[in-house]
């Protein structure tokens, strides 16, 4: 009887129960959120500086995300939006994708959604690059963290 050879990168996926990966990610995200909620990113010395900001003096698309999460957990929605508007607006999309992933894992199906098509990925890439550029221009100063 011949054994089916599983590529090294896929071996762990077959050994784990189907919903374990999305639930593990949820646990890690909850732990990270709890830490950011308890340790204020606005106070110096608690978190490393963004490498891109340190090297260039310019904001990356993620700059302000820790302060956004901290403000959001503390109920300061306006402050959270002001810290990183794009990340704030993408949170429901990430939640939707996580729910789709969990449902597919429980059902033993692959994840299918229009948001995972190449056109959507390209659109997100263009949006991120445009946001990255505009938030560093004088006209986009409101997008800076």
């Amino acid at each position: 009887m011949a054994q089916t050879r599983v590529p090294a990168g896929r071996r762990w996926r077959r050994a784990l129960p189907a919903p374990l990966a999305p639930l593990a990610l949820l646990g890690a995200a909850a732990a990270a959120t709890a830490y950011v909620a308890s340790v204020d990113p606005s106070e110096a010395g608690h978190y490393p500086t963004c490498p891109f900001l340190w090297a260039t003096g310019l904001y990356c698309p993620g700059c302000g995300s820790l302060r956004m999460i901290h403000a959001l957990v503390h109920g300061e929605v306006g402050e959270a939006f002001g810290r990183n508007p794009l990340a704030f607006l993408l949170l429901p999309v990430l939640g939707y994708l996580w729910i789709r992933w969990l449902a597919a894992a429980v059902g033993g199906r692959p994840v299918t959604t229009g948001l995972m098509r190449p056109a959507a990925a390209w659109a997100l890439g263009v949006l991120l690059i445009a946001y990255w550029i505009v938030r560093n221009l004088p006209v986009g100063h409101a997008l800076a963290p």
Side-chain angles (χ1 to χ4, degrees):
M1 179 172 169
Q3 289 184 336
T4 304
R5 186 166 164 87
V6 179
R10 294 187 184 177
R11 285 185 193 142
W12 66 272
R13 284 190 250 170
R14 294 194 184 200
L16 298 175
L20 188 59
L23 293 175
L25 180 65
L26 178 64
T33 301
Y35 182 77
V36 171
S38 63
V39 180
D40 189 357
S42 297
E43 295 177 13
H46 294 293
Y47 299 95
T49 302
C50 169
F52 186 79
L53 178 64
W54 174 81
T56 66
L58 301 172
Y59 300 117
C60 77
C63 281
S65 294
L66 290 176
R67 287 175 280 162
M68 183 230 8
I69 292 169
H70 182 81
L72 196 57
V73 170
H74 290 280
E76 301 166 359
V77 178
E79 172 80 12
F81 181 78
R83 293 299 185 175
N84 193 324
L86 182 61
F88 183 88
L89 294 174
L90 287 177
L91 286 176
V93 175
L94 291 174
Y96 167 77
L97 289 173
W98 182 84
I99 290 169
R100 295 291 301 231
W101 182 25
L102 179 64
V106 168
R109 302 179 313 270
V111 180
T112 56
T113 176
L115 293 176
M116 295 179 68
R117 293 194 175 133
W122 280 102
L124 178 61
V126 169
L127 176 65
L128 283 172
I129 291 169
Y131 179 71
W132 195 340
I133 292 168
V134 172
R135 78 184 316 204
N136 287 293
L137 296 174
V139 71
H141 72 277
L143 298 175

